[in-house]
Amino acid sequence: TANVVSYPAKVELARGKNDYKLVFTPNADYVPGEYQVMESYEPIEINHTVTYKTYGSEGESLWVAPNATGTGSKSNPMSIYEAVKYVQPGQTIVVMEGTYLLDKTVKVERGIDGTADKKIYMIADPAAATRPVFDFQKNCAGMILAGDYWVFRGFDVTRSSNGQKGIQVSGNYNLLDSINTYYNGNTGIQISRYLTTDEFADWPAYNTILNCTSYGNADAGYEGADGFAAKLTCGDGNVFDGCIAHHNADDGWDLFAKVQSGS
């Protein structure tokens, strides 16, 4: 049924690669609309691999550093991309100081969640002399947070590509604390849905943006980049507290909703 999520099977993941084949068979009598037929009623097969691995155990930290390729210890840090893929509830990603020259989006996928009692933390190294900087070199969108119960604290995000946001918050019950976003190609920090197919129940809700600063964000046309935004597809209970927006190309704050999306 359109717009209804189906859970056809419950599986247990084994460590390593888990290979699955999904088969979708359309109903033979399905008609999309008046005077319409499906292009094909043949079964569709999709091969999908899920890789399951972990680093360390609950309560342990994963250390990341610029250009790192290690296993996540302080002496052998890992890449930020590996850390956000395989972090577990109750773990902390410690972002070591330096400038991270990145060429693809740092994405926390939906389902990589903490819990109310075991949040996932991504924090700047408390012992560092300078703030870590994620510099996307105008290559791509910056960070997308689609997971739940995460805490981001103490780092900077800059130079996403034209039309792409610095940080997009699309999960629930997350906290962004003392984050700076500047010189991005679109809004510095925006709360909005992850997938274009997400209905209201899946729109981001109950996120807190605390003591963050967002400035100098500008798209090429100087008409769309805001400091902060909670717009278009934003759920209930989102809070901005103690934040500062200045010198952005469009709005300091954009809370726009449109009829097509709903209030």
Side-chain angles (χ1 to χ4, degrees):
T1 303
N3 298 318
V4 174
V5 177
S6 296
Y7 298 94
K10 185 173 182 177
V11 297
E12 292 291 333
L13 293 175
R15 290 190 178 273
K17 289 188 175 181
N18 297 258
D19 295 319
Y20 299 100
K21 182 167 76 171
L22 295 78
V23 181
F24 173 73
T25 306
N27 289 337
D29 57 354
Y30 175 70
V31 178
E34 190 176 9
Y35 308 120
Q36 295 179 344
V37 294
M38 295 277 284
E39 183 176 301
S40 172
Y41 287 83
E42 294 299 313
I44 297 169
E45 293 189 3
I46 301 170
N47 293 306
H48 186 68
T49 298
V50 177
T51 302
Y52 173 45
K53 61 181 178 180
T54 58
Y55 292 93
S57 58
E58 180 186 317
E60 292 184 344
S61 294
L62 302 179
W63 294 76
V64 301
N67 305 312
T69 58
T71 56
S73 66
K74 188 173 182 179
S75 60
N76 189 24
M78 67 199 317
S79 79
I80 184 63
Y81 297 112
E82 284 285 288
V84 298
K85 263 190 190 178
Y86 298 113
V87 67
Q88 304 169 67
Q91 285 189 314
T92 296
I93 299 170
V94 181
V95 185
M96 302 175 79
E97 67 183 314
T99 299
Y100 295 67
L101 297 175
L102 304 173
D103 57 10
K104 60 182 181 180
T105 302
V106 175
K107 187 182 295 186
V108 177
E109 294 281 5
R110 178 171 281 166
I112 302 180
D113 302 329
T115 68
D117 298 324
K118 298 177 183 178
K119 293 182 173 65
I120 297 173
Y121 290 82
M122 186 191 299
I123 64 170
D125 181 0
T130 60
R131 291 172 64 94
V133 177
F134 293 137
D135 182 348
F136 292 91
Q137 306 178 89
K138 299 188 181 297
N139 285 318
C140 55
M143 304 181 75
I144 298 175
L145 174 53
D148 300 340
Y149 292 106
W150 279 68
V151 176
F152 284 2
R153 179 174 289 135
F155 55 83
D156 296 0
V157 174
T158 189
R159 296 208 300 160
S160 62
S161 64
N162 179 51
Q164 300 295 321
K165 293 176 277 292
I167 301 177
Q168 177 177 322
V169 179
S170 297
N172 306 310
Y173 300 102
N174 297 299
L175 169 65
L176 273 60
D177 180 10
S178 303
I179 302 296
N180 295 335
T181 55
Y182 46 86
Y183 307 137
N184 292 288
N186 207 327
T187 298
I189 298 176
Q190 179 167 323
I191 303 175
S192 58
R193 69 183 174 187
Y194 183 42
L195 302 175
T196 57
T197 52
D198 286 344
E199 298 295 327
F200 183 82
D202 295 314
W203 291 1
Y206 301 101
N207 299 288
T208 299
I209 314 301
L210 178 67
N211 297 336
C212 295
T213 300
S214 189
Y215 65 90
N217 301 293
D219 55 312
Y222 276 79
E223 58 186 18
D226 309 311
F228 300 97
K231 63 182 181 182
L232 300 175
T233 51
C234 178
D236 294 329
N238 296 293
V239 173
F240 293 86
D241 189 0
C243 297
I244 299 171
H246 63 89
H247 293 87
N248 297 287
D250 193 19
D251 305 314
W253 305 83
D254 190 345
L255 310 177
F256 178 67
K258 62 182 180 181
V259 172
Q260 291 88 334
S261 300
S263 57

